[in-house]
Amino acid sequence: AWQGSGCRMAAGVPLDWRREVKMMTPVPMFSSRWFAMLTSIQSVTDMAIDEQKKAKESGGGVDGTLWERSELIVRYMLEEGKLNLMLRLLTDFKTNQRNEKFAQSLAAAKASEPNHRFDDLGTIKIKAALYEQALGLLLSCALCSIESLQTLDIVELLEHLSETLKFSLSHPEMVKSPDAERRQEALAISYLATILEKLEDLPEDRIMDLLQQGDVLGLLVSNITKYHTFYSTETKKKAALALAGFLGTEAYKTTPTAFVTSDEMKKMILGLEMAFVKDLFPDAPSKKTIRPLLDAMAKFKYQVKI
C-alpha cells in the first residue's frame, strides 16, 4: 500500500488543504523548494486517497458532481488550476527519467544552491521515487472525477501513456520492482481503464484518434503479455477492463484493423484468456464487465490458428 507522509497536522493545527494544493508549483528538480513541495504533495495525496476511500465506504462512490461529493482535494485542484500542472510535473519527471537527466538535474540544483545541505544520493533516489508515486496516485484520484478528466490536457495525458508503455517494454525493472504498482508503468493501465470507461462523456473521436496514433492498444497488449505475471490482481483486472474498453468502442467496431493490426496481436490477446482473464472473471456478472473483450476473443479464435 501507498505510504505517504502521514502528515495531517502542522504544529498541532490541521493543514489548510487549499493552501497545500496551492504549493504545487513548477520548481527546478531536486532544488530545496522541490523537496519541500514533495512533502506537501505527499500530504495532499494522502488526503485525496483517504477522501476517496471514505466516499466509497459510505456508498457515495464517485456519482454526482465533484461539488456534491466530499472529495475536497480534487475539487481544490480543479478550482486552483492545478490539475494540468500536476500532469505536467509528472510527465516532465518521467521524460527526464527516460532521457537519463536526473544526474544533470541534481548537479544543476547543487550548483544553484551551494550552501544548501543536500541528502545523500540514496535518500534522493528514494525521494524521487516517492515524488513519482505521489503524483501518480494523485492523478489516479483525479481521473475518477469526470470534471477533472474534461479539464485535463488529454493530448499530453495520452502521449504520456503511450511513451510510458513504450518505455516499460525495454525496462522490465520498472514493472518488476517492489513498488511497481505505484509506478507509472503499472498505473498507466489503470488510467486507460478509467478513461475508456468514461469515454461517452469525453471527446471520443479525438481520444480514439490519439490512441490509434500512439498505438496504445498494441503497446497495452504487449505490456500485459510480457508482464502480467508481475501484476497485482487489481492491475490484471484493470488490464482486462482497459482491453474491453478499447474493443467496445465505436472506433474499433468500425475499423478493427486500425487497432488490432496483426494475427500475432490477436494471438497475444487470446493468450490472456488462460493466463488470467478466465480466473479473474469466472461468473456471469463479472464476465459482463468485460463482454467486448470476450466477444473479440471468440471472433479471434476463428480468425487465427493457435
Side-chain angles (χ1 to χ4, degrees):
W2 159 248
Q3 297 295 320
S5 67
C7 184
R8 292 286 188 278
M9 309 278 281
V13 179
L15 287 178
D16 178 342
W17 292 110
R18 191 181 289 274
R19 178 179 174 276
E20 291 297 311
V21 166
K22 286 182 177 180
M23 282 188 66
M24 200 179 297
T25 53
V27 295
M29 187 177 292
F30 301 137
S31 65
S32 57
R33 287 185 296 161
W34 187 89
F35 287 111
M37 184 174 68
L38 166 61
T39 301
S40 179
I41 292 172
Q42 286 179 284
S43 298
V44 167
T45 300
D46 287 346
M47 193 62 180
I49 292 172
D50 196 40
E51 286 180 336
Q52 197 167 88
K53 182 181 177 183
K54 286 179 179 176
K56 290 178 181 177
E57 288 175 349
S58 67
V62 291
D63 295 327
T65 71
L66 195 53
W67 288 266
E68 293 170 334
R69 303 198 304 273
S70 58
E71 294 170 53
L72 295 178
I73 295 297
V74 176
R75 194 183 93 191
Y76 289 161
M77 291 181 65
L78 182 62
E79 292 174 346
E80 298 298 332
K82 298 295 184 180
L83 285 171
N84 280 309
L85 173 61
M86 168 192 62
L87 176 61
R88 176 56 57 84
L89 293 175
L90 180 58
T91 58
D92 283 352
F93 178 88
K94 294 300 286 183
T95 298
N96 281 331
Q97 183 185 65
R98 288 193 295 268
N99 295 332
E100 300 182 353
K101 294 287 183 68
F102 283 176
Q104 182 179 324
S105 297
L106 181 57
K110 288 182 175 180
S112 297
E113 299 182 82
N115 297 321
H116 178 69
R117 185 173 180 180
F118 285 83
D119 291 322
D120 62 88
L121 187 58
T123 301
I124 290 173
K125 286 181 178 180
I126 291 171
K127 289 184 175 180
L130 289 173
Y131 179 83
E132 174 187 340
Q133 292 170 25
L135 285 172
L137 291 170
L138 189 55
L139 176 58
S140 187
C141 289
L143 290 179
C144 290
S145 156
I146 189 60
E147 294 91 348
S148 297
L149 260 174
Q150 290 170 340
T151 302
L152 280 165
D153 183 339
I154 199 68
V155 175
E156 180 168 8
L157 176 56
L158 296 181
E159 284 179 353
H160 166 65
L161 297 184
S162 178
E163 290 299 322
T164 298
L165 292 172
K166 194 181 302 179
F167 180 73
S168 67
L169 288 174
S170 56
H171 292 78
E173 70 278 5
M174 295 296 186
V175 182
K176 297 179 181 180
S177 67
D179 61 352
E181 290 302 308
R182 301 185 297 277
R183 287 180 180 266
Q184 287 299 285
E185 287 71 23
L187 284 174
I189 293 171
S190 176
Y191 298 163
L192 275 171
T194 301
I195 292 166
L196 290 162
E197 178 191 5
K198 299 178 185 294
L199 201 56
E200 65 180 23
D201 296 314
L202 297 168
E204 182 172 346
D205 291 344
R206 176 66 172 143
I207 287 173
M208 294 309 296
D209 282 345
L210 290 167
L211 290 173
Q212 182 185 345
Q213 290 167 22
D215 188 29
V216 175
L217 180 57
L219 292 169
L220 178 64
V221 170
S222 295
N223 269 269
I224 298 170
T225 300
K226 187 172 184 178
Y227 297 129
H228 67 83
T229 55
F230 300 100
Y231 291 161
S232 68
T233 298
E234 182 62 22
T235 297
K236 283 189 276 194
K237 286 181 178 179
K238 291 290 187 181
L241 289 168
L243 289 173
F246 258 112
L247 299 171
T249 61
E250 283 303 315
Y252 172 75
K253 292 174 183 176
T254 303
T255 54
T257 54
F259 295 92
V260 178
T261 55
S262 66
D263 282 352
E264 185 59 33
M265 190 170 167
K266 291 176 183 178
K267 291 177 183 178
M268 290 167 73
I269 293 172
L270 283 171
L272 300 177
E273 182 175 21
M274 296 306 296
F276 67 86
V277 171
K278 192 173 181 179
D279 288 339
L280 293 183
F281 299 87
D283 52 28
S286 62
K287 286 178 180 176
K288 186 178 179 180
T289 64
I290 59 163
R291 178 51 56 194
L293 172 59
L294 298 178
D295 289 346
M297 285 177 167
K299 288 182 181 178
F300 295 164
K301 286 176 183 176
Y302 289 101
Q303 294 172 351
V304 299
K305 293 181 180 179
I306 303 285

